[in-house]
Amino acid sequence: MIMATKVKLYPNEAQKVLLEKHFGSCRFVYNYFLAKRDEYYLTHKDAEKSSLNYLDTQNMLIELKKQYPWLYEVNSQSLQMSLRSLDNAFKNFFHKNADHPKFRKKGKNDYFAIPQHVKIEKNRICFPKFSEGIYFKGSKKKLSEIKEINQMVVTKDAGDYYCSIIYEKEDNAPERKPLSAENSVGIDLGLEKFATLSDGIVIENLRFIEKVEKRIKRLQKWLSRKKNGSNNRKKLVLRLQRRYRKLRNMREDFLDKVSTAIAKQYDTIIMEDLNVQGMQQNHHIAKSIGDVSLYSFKQKLLWKADKYGKNLVEIGRFDPSSKLCSNCGNLKKDLKLSDRIYHCDVCGVTLDRDYNASRNIRKMGLIKVGLVQPESTPVETATSGLRGIYPYRQMSGRGSRKLRGFS
Ligand SMILES: [Zn+2]
């Protein structure tokens, strides 16, 4: 199983200089070849070979190093990893999963990767090109389970250095539970509430995250009034970066706790396939998407489902889970995003909008994996594939159930 842990680095002055050289050189190589790849495309649009690939840039890098000998000072594999990540950025762009790659800026997203030849000796990490190991602190428990190191990524955040260690762990994941309707749950991820579960459990967004966001906004306001290049400004920038880091850590912690609790409690977890990019194009919900970090949540849930031997089922994001009545299957075409209550004109049921959606998600997932047979219905439904999304058996205990290990 692939695992990851993050440790804090405590480099001495000389090591800091070399770390900064790595950040700078990797950024330089990334930006240089980003420009080269764009330039090549513009001049070769109609040629048989219209774009540069990873191997092309790797060969060009050999020449570039002769031109800029200072590139020899850093680990050549880290430079190659920079090309690799540029290549991935382009691939994501070509597959329409991401925007066109952007130039990396100094002080923003400073990082470099080391794929090989790293050693951990007691409390020091030894990187290639560094004459001595860098002192670090991290979780002893996690470090002890490392069987083989896959990769390390060094980052700089608010003036501090970190190293993410991605490693192979002894495989001891439990056998996966069989897919079953019993102990299954549908999850509606939301904007106002973080998640609504089909058994009535509601997980609210964290209020204290909002508090930190308010402080960040205030700092940003102060910052806009400070003179460029002044010492006060630098101090404020660092304070702001620290706040951002705190916010990120709190979110990650929240997402970790929720995903663990859900993966432990249910055997079959059903959620909508997320198209984060598509959602962000919708102006109104863009902010909230960032707030709840849905994508990160899904990644964590996927990973934890593996860890606890559970099943994660995704249903199509275009299935109208919010517009269907989870009681009778009626399709309410005119349901607006602002309607927080689902009232069905056919069977008369009134449900919380997200609760209604989560029950539909559960049923759609169970139909998708063949655990529930779609039933034909006299009431109009969206498409034939959605026939028989109902009837649900009445679920009891709404609001009274709690997620174990999470409150
Ligand atoms: Zn109904």
Side-chain angles (χ1 to χ4, degrees), residues 60-305:
M60 289 161 80
L61 177 61
I62 299 168
E63 293 307 310
L64 189 70
K65 281 166 114 174
K66 288 176 192 157
Q67 199 182 335
Y68 300 106
W70 42 267
L71 287 172
Y72 286 112
E73 288 176 50
V74 306
N75 181 7
S76 60
Q77 286 189 323
S78 296
L79 298 177
Q80 285 171 15
M81 291 304 281
S82 224
L83 295 178
R84 190 64 83 185
S85 93
L86 176 66
D87 194 49
N88 287 335
F90 268 108
K91 276 183 183 149
N92 283 331
F93 169 59
F94 294 146
H95 294 137
K96 297 193 165 36
N97 290 326
D99 291 334
H100 184 273
K102 289 190 183 67
F103 287 105
R104 277 165 58 178
K105 286 197 187 106
K106 188 179 178 183
K108 222 177 169 187
N109 284 331
D110 280 333
Y111 73 90
F112 67 91
I114 312 144
Q116 270 181 318
H117 309 302
V118 248
K119 265 187 306 193
I120 298 179
E121 282 172 355
K122 274 187 189 169
N123 46 16
R124 283 176 194 276
I125 299 186
C126 310
F127 298 132
K129 293 275 180 184
F130 284 74
S131 54
E132 56 176 340
I134 301 177
Y135 184 71
F136 76 94
K137 277 182 190 165
S139 153
K140 287 211 173 66
K141 184 177 165 278
K142 288 214 163 168
L143 290 166
S144 68
E145 62 189 23
I146 296 178
K147 197 175 84 180
E148 203 186 315
I149 296 170
N150 280 6
Q151 199 192 115
M152 288 200 189
V153 179
V154 179
T155 50
K156 189 179 179 186
D157 190 349
D160 294 321
Y161 299 89
Y162 297 87
C163 179
S164 297
I165 306 168
I166 297 122
Y167 61 94
E168 198 84 44
K169 188 190 162 190
E170 297 286 351
D171 227 343
N172 50 6
E175 211 171 298
R176 201 177 291 279
K177 295 236 167 130
L179 276 166
S180 130
E182 212 172 301
N183 206 14
S184 66
V185 71
I187 305 177
D188 179 64
L189 290 172
L191 309 169
E192 286 179 18
K193 286 165 278 184
F194 177 75
T196 306
L197 276 48
S198 57
D199 56 6
I201 292 173
V202 173
I203 300 162
E204 299 286 349
N205 270 316
L206 289 186
R207 293 287 160 241
F208 60 78
I209 286 187
E210 282 173 19
K211 270 188 203 160
V212 179
E213 278 174 335
K214 257 186 204 155
R215 272 183 217 136
I216 285 180
K217 277 203 189 113
R218 208 167 57 213
L219 282 175
Q220 279 170 334
K221 222 179 211 171
W222 289 354
L223 190 66
S224 64
R225 294 194 204 119
K226 296 272 183 258
K227 270 194 197 124
N228 260 342
S230 70
N231 256 342
N232 278 337
R233 190 188 164 87
K234 275 182 200 152
K235 268 188 215 157
L236 211 52
V237 167
L238 200 63
R239 258 178 82 187
L240 197 57
Q241 285 176 339
R242 290 209 176 106
R243 285 270 174 233
Y244 273 124
R245 183 168 73 201
K246 191 174 175 194
L247 184 64
R248 240 183 353 257
N249 289 345
M250 281 186 338
R251 272 187 200 150
E252 288 296 299
D253 188 51
F254 171 69
L255 299 176
D256 262 328
K257 279 187 181 139
V258 176
S259 55
T260 301
I262 288 176
K264 277 187 174 171
Q265 186 149 327
Y266 304 97
D267 294 346
T268 302
I269 302 152
I270 303 155
M271 62 194 283
E272 281 179 301
D273 178 14
L274 298 170
N275 172 13
V276 175
Q277 221 208 353
M279 292 168 101
Q280 274 172 342
Q281 280 165 5
N282 182 334
H283 192 71
H284 293 293
I285 43 183
K287 184 188 170 290
S288 309
I289 297 294
D291 288 351
V292 291
S293 320
L294 300 183
Y295 183 74
S296 169
F297 177 70
K298 189 184 130 187
Q299 292 302 108
K300 286 181 193 298
L301 203 52
L302 265 173
W303 182 73
K304 277 164 192 169

Side-chain angles (χ1 to χ4, degrees), residues 15 24 59 100 206 241 272 289 293 323 337 380 384 389-390:
Q15 288 169 335
N59 290 330
H100 184 273
L206 289 186
Q241 285 176 339
E272 281 179 301
I289 297 294
S293 320
K323 292 188 175 174
L337 200 61
E380 186 198 1
S384 58
I389 296 304
Y390 61 95

